[in-house]
Amino acid sequence: LDLRETAFGTTRELQVDTAVLCEVCQGVGAAPGTHPDTCDMCNGRGEISQVTRSFLGQVMTTRPCPQCGGFGSIIRHPCQECSGDGRVRTRRTIKVRIPAGVEDGTHIQLAGEGEIGPGGGPPGDLFLEIVERSHEIFERRGDDLHCTVQIPMTAAALGTVLTVETLDGAEEIDVRPGTQSGQVITMYGRGVQRLNETGRGDLLIHVNVETPSRLDPPQEELLRELAKLRGEERPPGKFAPGQQGFFSRLRDAFNGR
């Protein structure tokens, strides 16, 4: 399924190869006009018991009847359509409703949509596993969606308005003046519908500020003038410790930092 289908739900038609009830014998397995006979070895019980002697005394064991295979009856004239199995294999089409909020690996159980049991027994269930295709823009993490937008440094410094594609269509967001690379703009309620719940996740937009690698002489002159006005011709730089590892963060959490 595509991301939009898993987010909002959809209906799919599936073709499955399965065993269905034989229409000729209606699951009995015997040819029309005949019927199964009761097994004379187990008297219809489908199992036989045997008593053996051991040093502990008499021991009774039970095993499936070897003549009827545990069915309790023998089909002497099997149905030509199903060869006495009571079912035939065919391909059928079923409609499946996929609820909103499913994700990659979700299993859906369809009761009674599996194969008919031997001898016309009740059908089993059909299990579906959802495989979600990757999206060209969004990365899904639970019910939230993440994406990255690149903006020039002038737009980050002055602020701008961006048009963002969401699952609901194009929307505009405000980029505030002074936005730094790595900041996150959150669009609440623009993520994936929560499975079997109300509400939706969020869309988190990670901002990446682009620094120009090539400048023509007028652009370079303008930037040098800006640096002069801001007193940043030879900035001292701001140094900070490197990013903490997991165990360092865990230690600080126990220390109440």
Side-chain angles (χ1 to χ4, degrees):
L1 300 176
D2 295 327
L3 177 60
R4 184 179 298 275
E5 294 174 315
T6 59
F8 300 126
T10 184
T11 300
R12 280 292 189 89
E13 285 191 352
L14 301 180
Q15 288 188 341
V16 292
D17 294 322
T18 183
V20 298
L21 189 71
C22 176
E23 296 183 357
V24 175
C25 66
Q26 296 300 312
V28 177
T34 65
H35 56 82
D37 296 330
T38 301
C39 177
D40 54 7
M41 179 175 287
C42 64
N43 294 323
R45 295 193 306 271
E47 58 184 19
I48 58 176
S49 301
Q50 184 177 4
V51 179
T52 58
R53 294 182 178 274
S54 68
F55 66 93
L56 297 176
Q58 291 184 342
V59 178
M60 177 177 291
T61 58
T62 303
R63 59 190 178 91
C65 176
Q67 180 169 286
C68 65
F71 286 97
S73 59
I74 298 175
I75 301 176
R76 305 192 186 278
H77 304 283
C79 171
Q80 294 184 358
E81 181 70 18
C82 64
S83 300
D85 192 35
R87 56 183 183 172
V88 294
R89 302 206 66 84
T90 186
R91 173 172 294 183
R92 61 191 180 97
T93 302
I94 59 175
K95 274 191 175 183
V96 180
R97 188 185 68 83
I98 308 297
V102 296
E103 58 184 327
D104 193 80
T106 299
H107 289 83
I108 299 176
Q109 180 179 358
L110 303 178
E113 293 292 348
E115 294 194 344
I116 293 290
D125 300 335
L126 174 62
F127 290 85
L128 304 180
E129 181 178 357
I130 301 299
V131 178
E132 186 178 73
R133 297 189 185 97
S134 58
H135 196 271
E136 64 273 12
I137 298 177
F138 303 120
E139 177 188 354
R140 180 175 177 178
R141 302 177 191 172
D143 297 326
D144 296 331
L145 299 177
H146 295 255
C147 69
T148 301
V149 60
Q150 293 185 345
I151 61 174
M153 65 176 189
T154 51
L158 300 175
T160 186
V161 176
L162 294 178
T163 300
V164 180
E165 288 295 331
T166 71
L167 294 180
D168 302 278
E171 298 188 30
E172 291 186 343
I173 59 171
D174 292 325
V175 179
R176 296 181 180 179
T179 295
Q180 304 296 309
S181 187
Q183 283 189 233
V184 178
I185 302 174
T186 302
M187 299 183 69
Y188 297 100
R190 288 297 182 267
V192 177
Q193 173 70 41
R194 294 187 176 92
L195 182 62
N196 299 325
E197 296 181 14
T198 58
R200 293 170 59 181
D202 303 325
L203 172 59
L204 292 87
I205 304 171
H206 301 259
V207 179
N208 184 23
V209 180
E210 292 181 308
T211 302
S213 57
R214 293 182 180 180
L215 298 171
D216 58 28
Q219 293 172 344
E220 184 177 351
E221 184 63 27
L222 285 173
L223 280 181
R224 290 188 183 279
E225 184 65 25
L226 176 62
K228 183 178 180 181
L229 291 173
R230 292 178 55 85
E232 298 173 350
E233 294 173 286
R234 297 193 64 181
K238 296 180 181 179
F239 294 90
Q243 185 176 2
Q244 287 183 313
F246 171 76
F247 290 104
S248 299
R249 296 196 301 270
L250 187 63
R251 179 196 59 203
D252 291 345
F254 278 109
N255 293 335
R257 297 180 184 177

Coordinates of all heavy atoms in Angstrom, one line a residue, residues 177-225:
P177 N 11.9 34.7 10.9 CA 13.3 35.2 10.7 C 14.2 34.7 11.7 O 13.9 34.5 12.9 CB 13.1 36.7 10.9 CG 11.6 37.0 10.6 CD 10.9 35.7 11.0
G178 N 15.4 34.4 11.3 CA 16.4 33.8 12.2 C 16.4 32.3 12.4 O 17.0 31.8 13.4
T179 N 15.6 31.6 11.6 CA 15.6 30.2 11.7 C 16.9 29.6 11.4 O 17.7 29.9 10.5 CB 14.6 29.6 10.6 OG1 13.3 30.1 11.0 CG2 14.5 28.1 10.7
Q180 N 17.3 28.6 12.3 CA 18.6 28.0 12.2 C 18.5 26.6 11.6 O 17.4 26.0 11.6 CB 19.2 27.8 13.7 CG 19.3 29.1 14.4 CD 20.3 30.0 13.8 OE1 21.4 29.7 13.4 NE2 19.8 31.3 13.6
S181 N 19.6 26.2 11.0 CA 19.6 24.8 10.4 C 19.4 23.8 11.5 O 20.1 23.9 12.6 CB 20.9 24.6 9.7 OG 20.9 23.4 9.0
G182 N 18.6 22.8 11.3 CA 18.3 21.8 12.3 C 17.0 22.1 13.1 O 16.5 21.2 13.8
Q183 N 16.4 23.3 13.0 CA 15.1 23.5 13.6 C 14.0 22.7 13.0 O 14.1 22.3 11.8 CB 14.8 25.0 13.6 CG 15.6 25.8 14.6 CD 15.1 27.3 14.7 OE1 15.9 28.2 14.6 NE2 13.9 27.4 15.0
V184 N 13.0 22.5 13.8 CA 11.9 21.7 13.3 C 10.6 22.5 13.4 O 10.3 23.1 14.4 CB 11.7 20.4 14.2 CG1 10.5 19.6 13.7 CG2 12.9 19.6 14.1
I185 N 9.9 22.5 12.3 CA 8.6 23.2 12.2 C 7.5 22.1 12.2 O 7.5 21.2 11.4 CB 8.4 24.0 10.9 CG1 9.6 25.1 10.9 CG2 7.1 24.7 10.8 CD1 9.6 25.9 9.6
T186 N 6.6 22.2 13.2 CA 5.6 21.2 13.4 C 4.2 21.6 12.9 O 3.8 22.7 13.2 CB 5.5 20.8 14.9 OG1 6.7 20.4 15.4 CG2 4.5 19.7 15.1
M187 N 3.7 20.8 12.0 CA 2.3 21.0 11.5 C 1.4 20.0 12.3 O 1.5 18.8 11.9 CB 2.2 20.8 10.0 CG 3.1 21.8 9.3 SD 2.9 21.7 7.4 CE 1.2 22.3 7.2
Y188 N 0.7 20.4 13.2 CA -0.1 19.5 14.1 C -1.3 18.9 13.3 O -1.9 19.6 12.6 CB -0.6 20.2 15.3 CG 0.6 20.7 16.2 CD1 1.0 22.0 16.2 CD2 1.2 19.8 17.1 CE1 2.0 22.5 17.0 CE2 2.3 20.3 17.9 CZ 2.7 21.6 17.8 OH 3.7 22.0 18.6
G189 N -1.5 17.6 13.5 CA -2.6 17.0 12.9 C -2.5 16.7 11.4 O -3.5 16.5 10.8
R190 N -1.3 16.8 10.9 CA -1.1 16.5 9.5 C -0.4 15.2 9.2 O 0.2 15.0 8.1 CB -0.3 17.7 8.8 CG -1.2 19.0 8.7 CD -2.4 18.7 7.8 NE -3.1 20.0 7.6 CZ -4.2 20.3 8.4 NH1 -4.6 19.4 9.3 NH2 -4.8 21.4 8.2
G191 N -0.3 14.3 10.2 CA 0.3 13.1 10.1 C -0.7 12.0 9.7 O -1.6 12.2 9.0
V192 N -0.4 10.8 10.2 CA -1.2 9.6 9.9 C -2.3 9.4 10.9 O -2.1 9.7 12.1 CB -0.3 8.3 9.9 CG1 -1.1 7.1 9.6 CG2 0.8 8.5 8.8
Q193 N -3.5 9.0 10.4 CA -4.6 8.7 11.3 C -4.2 7.6 12.3 O -3.6 6.5 11.9 CB -5.8 8.2 10.5 CG -7.0 7.7 11.3 CD -7.7 8.8 12.1 OE1 -7.9 9.9 11.6 NE2 -8.1 8.5 13.3
R194 N -4.5 7.7 13.6 CA -4.2 6.7 14.6 C -5.1 5.5 14.4 O -6.3 5.6 14.3 CB -4.3 7.3 16.0 CG -3.3 8.4 16.3 CD -3.3 8.8 17.7 NE -2.3 9.8 18.0 CZ -2.4 11.1 17.9 NH1 -3.6 11.6 17.5 NH2 -1.4 11.9 18.1
L195 N -4.5 4.3 14.4 CA -5.2 3.1 14.2 C -6.2 2.8 15.3 O -5.8 2.8 16.5 CB -4.3 1.9 14.1 CG -4.9 0.5 13.8 CD1 -5.6 0.5 12.5 CD2 -3.8 -0.5 13.8
N196 N -7.5 2.7 15.0 CA -8.6 2.4 16.0 C -8.7 3.5 17.0 O -9.2 3.2 18.1 CB -8.3 1.0 16.6 CG -8.3 -0.1 15.6 OD1 -9.0 -0.1 14.7 ND2 -7.5 -1.1 15.9
E197 N -8.2 4.7 16.7 CA -8.4 5.8 17.7 C -8.8 7.0 16.9 O -8.8 7.0 15.6 CB -7.1 6.0 18.4 CG -6.6 4.9 19.3 CD -5.3 5.2 20.1 OE1 -4.9 6.4 20.1 OE2 -4.7 4.3 20.6
T198 N -9.1 8.1 17.6 CA -9.4 9.4 17.0 C -8.1 10.2 16.9 O -7.2 10.0 17.7 CB -10.4 10.1 17.8 OG1 -10.0 10.3 19.1 CG2 -11.8 9.4 17.8
G199 N -8.1 11.1 16.0 CA -6.9 12.0 15.9 C -5.8 11.5 15.0 O -5.8 10.3 14.6
R200 N -4.9 12.4 14.7 CA -3.8 12.1 13.8 C -2.5 12.5 14.3 O -2.4 13.3 15.3 CB -4.0 12.8 12.4 CG -5.2 12.3 11.6 CD -5.5 13.2 10.4 NE -4.4 13.3 9.5 CZ -4.4 14.0 8.4 NH1 -5.5 14.7 8.1 NH2 -3.3 14.1 7.6
G201 N -1.4 12.0 13.8 CA -0.1 12.4 14.2 C 0.3 13.7 13.6 O -0.6 14.4 13.0
D202 N 1.5 14.1 13.7 CA 2.0 15.4 13.2 C 2.9 15.3 12.1 O 3.5 14.2 11.8 CB 2.7 16.2 14.4 CG 1.8 16.4 15.6 OD1 0.5 16.5 15.4 OD2 2.3 16.3 16.7
L203 N 3.1 16.4 11.4 CA 4.1 16.5 10.3 C 5.2 17.4 10.8 O 5.0 18.5 11.1 CB 3.5 17.0 9.0 CG 4.4 17.4 7.9 CD1 5.2 16.1 7.4 CD2 3.7 18.0 6.7
L204 N 6.4 16.8 10.9 CA 7.5 17.5 11.4 C 8.5 17.8 10.2 O 9.0 16.9 9.5 CB 8.3 16.7 12.5 CG 7.5 16.6 13.8 CD1 6.6 15.3 13.7 CD2 8.5 16.5 15.0
I205 N 8.7 19.1 10.0 CA 9.5 19.6 8.9 C 10.9 20.0 9.4 O 11.0 21.0 10.2 CB 8.9 20.7 8.1 CG1 7.5 20.3 7.7 CG2 9.7 21.2 7.0 CD1 6.6 21.4 7.1
H206 N 11.9 19.3 9.0 CA 13.3 19.6 9.5 C 13.9 20.6 8.5 O 14.0 20.4 7.3 CB 14.1 18.4 9.6 CG 13.6 17.4 10.5 ND1 14.0 17.2 11.8 CD2 12.5 16.5 10.4 CE1 13.3 16.2 12.4 NE2 12.4 15.8 11.5
V207 N 14.4 21.8 9.0 CA 14.9 22.8 8.2 C 16.4 22.6 8.0 O 17.1 22.4 9.0 CB 14.6 24.2 8.8 CG1 15.2 25.3 7.9 CG2 13.1 24.4 8.9
N208 N 16.9 22.7 6.8 CA 18.3 22.7 6.5 C 18.6 24.0 5.7 O 18.2 24.2 4.6 CB 18.6 21.5 5.6 CG 20.1 21.3 5.3 OD1 20.9 21.8 6.1 ND2 20.4 20.6 4.2
V209 N 19.5 24.8 6.3 CA 19.9 26.1 5.8 C 21.1 25.9 4.9 O 22.1 25.4 5.3 CB 20.2 27.1 6.9 CG1 20.6 28.5 6.2 CG2 18.9 27.3 7.8
E210 N 20.9 26.3 3.6 CA 22.0 26.2 2.6 C 22.9 27.4 2.7 O 22.5 28.5 2.6 CB 21.4 26.0 1.2 CG 20.7 24.7 1.0 CD 20.2 24.6 -0.4 OE1 19.5 25.5 -0.9 OE2 20.4 23.6 -1.1
T211 N 24.2 27.1 2.7 CA 25.2 28.2 2.6 C 25.8 28.2 1.2 O 26.2 27.1 0.7 CB 26.3 28.0 3.6 OG1 25.8 27.9 4.9 CG2 27.4 29.1 3.5
P212 N 25.8 29.3 0.5 CA 26.3 29.3 -0.9 C 27.7 29.0 -0.9 O 28.5 29.5 -0.1 CB 26.0 30.8 -1.3 CG 25.9 31.6 -0.1 CD 25.3 30.6 0.9
S213 N 28.1 28.1 -1.9 CA 29.5 27.8 -2.0 C 30.2 28.6 -3.1 O 31.5 28.7 -3.1 CB 29.6 26.3 -2.4 OG 28.9 26.1 -3.6
R214 N 29.5 29.3 -3.9 CA 30.1 30.2 -4.9 C 29.3 31.5 -4.9 O 28.1 31.6 -4.9 CB 30.0 29.6 -6.3 CG 30.9 28.3 -6.4 CD 30.8 27.8 -7.9 NE 31.6 26.6 -8.0 CZ 31.8 25.9 -9.2 NH1 31.1 26.3 -10.2 NH2 32.5 24.9 -9.2
L215 N 30.1 32.6 -4.9 CA 29.5 33.9 -4.9 C 30.2 34.7 -6.1 O 31.4 34.6 -6.3 CB 29.8 34.7 -3.6 CG 29.1 34.0 -2.4 CD1 29.6 34.8 -1.1 CD2 27.6 34.1 -2.4
D216 N 29.4 35.5 -6.8 CA 30.0 36.4 -7.7 C 30.4 37.7 -7.0 O 30.1 37.9 -5.8 CB 29.0 36.7 -8.9 CG 27.7 37.3 -8.4 OD1 27.7 38.0 -7.3 OD2 26.6 37.2 -9.0
P217 N 31.3 38.5 -7.6 CA 31.8 39.7 -6.9 C 30.8 40.6 -6.2 O 31.0 41.0 -5.1 CB 32.6 40.4 -8.0 CG 33.0 39.3 -9.0 CD 31.9 38.3 -9.0
P218 N 29.7 40.9 -6.9 CA 28.7 41.8 -6.2 C 28.1 41.1 -5.0 O 27.9 41.8 -3.9 CB 27.6 42.0 -7.3 CG 28.3 41.8 -8.6 CD 29.3 40.8 -8.3
Q219 N 27.8 39.8 -5.0 CA 27.3 39.1 -3.9 C 28.3 39.0 -2.8 O 28.0 39.2 -1.6 CB 26.8 37.7 -4.3 CG 25.7 37.6 -5.3 CD 25.4 36.2 -5.8 OE1 26.3 35.4 -5.7 NE2 24.2 36.1 -6.4
E220 N 29.5 38.8 -3.1 CA 30.6 38.7 -2.1 C 30.8 40.1 -1.4 O 31.0 40.2 -0.2 CB 31.9 38.3 -2.7 CG 33.0 38.1 -1.7 CD 34.3 37.6 -2.4 OE1 34.3 37.2 -3.6 OE2 35.3 37.5 -1.7
E221 N 30.7 41.1 -2.2 CA 30.8 42.5 -1.6 C 29.7 42.8 -0.7 O 29.9 43.4 0.4 CB 30.9 43.5 -2.8 CG 31.1 44.9 -2.3 CD 32.5 45.1 -1.7 OE1 33.4 44.4 -2.0 OE2 32.6 46.0 -0.8
L222 N 28.5 42.4 -1.0 CA 27.4 42.6 -0.2 C 27.5 41.9 1.2 O 27.2 42.4 2.2 CB 26.1 42.2 -0.9 CG 25.5 43.1 -1.9 CD1 24.3 42.5 -2.7 CD2 25.1 44.5 -1.4
L223 N 28.0 40.6 1.1 CA 28.1 39.8 2.3 C 29.2 40.4 3.2 O 29.1 40.4 4.4 CB 28.4 38.4 2.0 CG 27.2 37.5 1.6 CD1 27.6 36.1 1.3 CD2 26.2 37.5 2.7
R224 N 30.3 40.9 2.6 CA 31.4 41.5 3.4 C 30.9 42.8 4.0 O 31.2 43.0 5.2 CB 32.6 41.8 2.5 CG 33.3 40.6 2.0 CD 34.6 40.9 1.3 NE 35.3 39.7 0.8 CZ 36.0 38.9 1.5 NH1 36.2 39.1 2.8 NH2 36.6 37.8 1.0
E225 N 30.0 43.5 3.3 CA 29.5 44.7 4.0 C 28.6 44.4 5.1 O 28.6 45.0 6.2 CB 28.7 45.5 2.9 CG 28.1 46.8 3.4 CD 29.2 47.8 3.7 OE1 30.4 47.7 3.2 OE2 29.0 48.7 4.5

